[in-house]
Amino acid sequence: MPVDSPPASQPLPQPPLVLDALVNPGLPSDDCPRRARIQLDLLLLAIEALDLGGGEAMLATARELALEGLVKGRVHLWLLRGTNPMRRYSQRRPLQIEEAKALVIIICTLARRLTVLVRQLLVGYQQLSDKQLSPEHHFRLADYLSRFRSHFRARMNPRRAGVIAYSTDAKLDELALQLLQQLLLCSGVLGPQRLWSSLFDGEVS
């Protein structure tokens, strides 16, 4: 009587080629450090404040770049972002290096598409500062800052020490502007490599 041979094991899917430009940081494990998880989520939060359809754009970008194996839809993206320990409903699951690479590519792709708006807001802020005027005098900038504050307060845990540090509008506006500057750096040709390296500054011995 013939014996059925065991099914051949399926090869693991290979990471998309778009991730090849990001070199593994050489950490002791495949889990991203705390600071990297926070930074990635905050940059995505800034993109949502810039673009009302930012959440859908993240998922569409994942599909366009064949990253669905790492960002598997709306719920999975929420879980990945929930690895930010500042979140109200933070996830205990780790953020794997390959997942972080996918988020970096998504952030930089969207930052490139938003480059004109980001530049306009940063130039507008500089002009207001030179005239000692508040952001309320620039409609688009005021709108971005207002949405960022709203998103941050709705999604972050107010009891976390890292969140308490941003308890005022002024501190949140400062954070939102810093993230704009980072998104501008992300929008260049070497944006993904720059962002990726910055996530692990001081983490690799």
Side-chain angles (χ1 to χ4, degrees), residues 17-39:
L17 294 177
V18 71
L19 304 184
D20 287 352
L22 305 180
V23 179
N24 286 342
L27 297 174
S29 75
D30 288 334
D31 301 344
C32 277
R34 182 179 189 274
R35 186 168 62 86
R37 289 179 275 135
I38 292 173
Q39 191 63 22

Side-chain angles (χ1 to χ4, degrees), residues 55-123:
E56 288 301 323
M58 294 169 200
L59 297 173
T61 302
R63 291 191 296 271
E64 290 168 14
L65 299 175
L67 295 171
E68 308 103 308
L70 294 167
V71 181
K72 304 170 185 175
R74 188 185 310 278
V75 173
H76 191 241
L77 177 59
W78 178 78
L79 291 173
L80 296 182
R81 297 182 65 181
T83 60
N84 173 4
M86 293 169 61
R87 284 260 176 177
R88 286 182 184 271
Y89 306 106
S90 61
Q91 305 296 313
R92 294 189 180 276
R93 77 183 292 282
L95 180 67
Q96 300 291 329
I97 289 293
E98 292 300 309
E99 293 171 332
K101 286 182 180 182
L103 294 181
V104 164
I105 296 298
I106 289 170
I107 288 168
C108 293
T109 301
L110 293 175
R112 196 171 302 120
R113 295 173 185 174
L114 292 165
T115 300
V116 172
L117 175 58
V118 171
R119 284 187 186 278
Q120 288 175 346
L121 296 185
L122 289 173
V123 169

